[in-house]
Amino acid sequence: MNCHHHLYQWATRGLAQQATLFEWLVELYPVWALIDEEIERSAARAGLTALASSGCTTTTDHHYVFPRGVENLLEVEIQAAKEIGLRFHPCRGSMDLGRSRGGLPPDQVVEDRDEILAASEEAIYSFHDPSPDSMLRVALAPCSPFSVTPELMAETAEFARKKGVRLHTHLAETKDEEEFCLEQYGVRPVEYLEDLGWLGDDVWLAHCIHLNEDEIKRFGETGTGIAHCPSSNARLGAGIAPVTALVRAGSPVGLGVDGAASNEAGELGMEMREALLFARLAGGPAALTAREALELATIHGARCLGRETEIGSLEVGKLADVALWRVDNLAHAGIEDPVTALVLGPAPRVELLLVNGEPIVQDAELRTADELEIAREIASASRRLAEKMEVAS
Ligand SMILES: [Zn+2]
């Protein structure tokens, strides 16, 4: 289960390499303002293929950049997920706090609050399928405390609950965000969110690195989920999330590859290994076992998405989402316990991936699309986006 992603970012890999989160965002917002449907389609297909090849059966996506005049970005990625064949939880994201009103993003990439709520309703109406074997469920996801007004956060929560869909956002990713919240709202990020009705078992939050003990306890008490994104957090030098403490407090802690602009890889297996290694860097060698890391990538992820009774473990009565890896090759042969081989060894390509019983990857090859063609398309889309940026600046 991949619990956090921005598929469109696959078209902007390798940029702003030494930047902090805020510097990285400021450099990339104007590039993202130039995405169009074709770029979105190529990026989504590339990101979904990387996930499938690493054994991911279910993914979410958090799409929050909607440039004016580009109509169908959410539809395009939904179509891509259908083609590749992964179970999909797209989030209708949003930003309404532009620079002129004290936010971080330039005004050209933010939307009006009424437009956002209307588009959210439309997305749920058109695509959300609440049935138990659903291949597609929509969530609502205002982007972050520094790009969204408190009014939009509160109204989105109320609206999502009325419609029975889940809530997602970024939280406590950097110290800069903490300072922003203290300065603008006089409280730390978690208190800000809680005041707006945003803690609960229908919410999962990306990152959650900078938390104190009370905040970890509140997450556990409320059943609030976390999408832990170790590679992205390391790439941006943001810090290490207190995964062991969050799990002990009772929170579901799923894994996320995050957007490919802050993690030039999008394979979920690597995140499992890094979650284990980082937990141990922070808390010593007993902080997380290989089996616990596998649970983050599976059942904890399913809990974040509200689907633990349907997916996330191999049990009678659950849906036929199954990933099989070979561990008899040079990379893993001789490690007696297959879970240790899978988590602590190099992340292998999946041998067989079934989603709803359908083969997506077989004999380690993608069966639903041509991977080489996807690679050519994303190379050309990335080049075209870079050229659009040169013309614009
Ligand atoms: Zn993110």
Side-chain angles (χ1 to χ4, degrees):
M1 314 285 142
N2 176 45
C3 296
H4 188 63
H5 210 334
H6 312 285
L7 287 166
Y8 73 92
Q9 289 182 11
W10 206 280
T12 58
R13 295 202 287 169
L15 306 177
Q17 290 181 27
Q18 275 72 244
T20 66
L21 174 72
F22 278 19
E23 292 162 355
W24 174 88
L25 284 167
V26 166
E27 189 168 332
L28 284 166
Y29 285 134
V31 188
W32 296 337
L34 300 171
I35 55 170
D36 55 35
E37 286 179 24
E38 198 193 321
I39 292 166
E40 176 81 22
R41 176 179 149 79
S42 304
R45 279 159 56 86
L48 290 160
T49 299
L51 285 168
S53 74
S54 66
C56 175
T57 57
T58 298
T59 186
T60 186
D61 188 59
H62 184 185
H63 193 92
Y64 57 85
V65 180
F66 292 91
R68 269 176 207 101
V70 185
E71 294 296 329
N72 299 311
L73 295 178
L74 203 64
E75 288 85 336
V76 166
E77 64 170 46
I78 286 171
Q79 187 54 38
K82 257 190 206 146
E83 282 168 29
I84 303 295
L86 295 197
R87 210 178 285 285
F88 197 35
H89 283 231
C91 301
R92 206 302 175 177
S94 54
M95 301 193 287
D96 73 334
L97 185 63
R99 203 165 295 153
S100 64
R101 295 166 65 204
L104 192 70
D107 290 353
Q108 83 213 71
V109 292
V110 306
E111 299 175 279
D112 168 81
R113 200 158 90 231
D114 292 337
E115 273 170 25
I116 291 166
L117 291 169
S120 303
E121 179 158 28
E122 178 66 31
I124 295 167
Y125 175 77
S126 305
F127 305 116
H128 181 65
D129 172 9
S131 64
D133 60 351
S134 173
M135 287 295 288
L136 195 142
R137 288 200 192 149
V138 172
L140 299 184
C143 190
S144 64
F146 49 84
S147 61
V148 174
T149 60
E151 291 80 11
L152 179 61
M153 290 298 293
E155 281 175 31
T156 302
E158 198 184 319
F159 186 65
R161 285 176 178 135
K162 202 169 91 188
K163 293 284 177 185
V165 303
R166 299 180 83 74
L167 287 162
H168 181 52
T169 190
H170 294 99
L171 199 83
E173 184 172 0
T174 62
K175 285 278 176 195
D176 288 336
E177 177 195 319
E178 190 176 300
E179 277 162 32
F180 179 93
C181 287
L182 285 167
E183 232 165 70
Q184 293 288 318
Y185 307 117
V187 289
R188 291 166 52 79
V190 174
E191 191 178 344
Y192 169 70
L193 220 61
E194 180 155 31
D195 289 347
L196 295 168
W198 264 77
L199 296 193
D201 60 7
D202 57 350
V203 178
W204 87 105
L205 307 166
H207 306 305
C208 298
I209 295 167
H210 303 283
L211 305 177
N212 64 32
E213 274 177 33
D214 286 342
E215 291 163 347
I216 293 170
K217 204 166 141 239
R218 279 305 288 146
F219 280 171
E221 284 164 359
T222 53
T224 306
I226 287 92
H228 175 43
C229 307
S231 292
S232 166
N233 298 157
R235 201 300 199 164
L236 293 167
I240 301 174
V243 168
T244 309
L246 282 162
V247 170
R248 280 201 193 118
S251 278
V253 181
L255 297 181
V257 298
D258 205 355
S262 66
N263 173 11
E264 278 68 14
E267 288 82 6
L268 192 60
M270 254 195 284
E271 302 304 319
M272 194 159 61
R273 184 170 194 265
E274 273 162 24
L276 180 145
L277 297 179
F278 292 0
R280 291 181 178 196
L281 274 175
L288 202 69
T289 67
R291 271 184 169 65
E292 284 166 339
L294 180 62
E295 281 168 13
L296 300 186
T298 53
I299 193 68
H300 273 261
R303 284 174 65 197
C304 282
L305 300 179
R307 303 199 67 170
E308 67 273 26
T309 59
E310 304 155 75
I311 51 179
S313 57
L314 297 175
E315 287 177 68
V316 174
K318 280 196 164 183
L319 298 170
D321 290 8
V322 181
L324 292 177
W325 292 269
R326 294 202 76 93
V327 287
D328 60 354
N329 47 19
L330 180 64
H332 305 95
I335 303 176
E336 200 181 328
D337 172 27
V339 175
T340 306
L342 182 67
V343 176
L344 277 174
R349 244 186 111 93
V350 77
E351 178 72 12
L352 176 69
L353 186 74
L354 302 176
V355 179
N356 243 7
E358 297 292 328
I360 309 302
V361 176
Q362 207 166 10
D363 302 324
E365 253 181 61
L366 186 68
R367 293 288 150 168
T368 49
D370 181 344
E371 194 172 324
L372 276 177
E373 188 184 301
I374 289 171
R376 277 194 295 270
E377 276 172 15
I378 189 58
S380 122
S382 304
R383 225 170 6 247
R384 197 162 62 75
L385 182 56
E387 283 161 15
K388 278 175 101 170
M389 186 61 198
E390 258 173 51
V391 173
S393 57

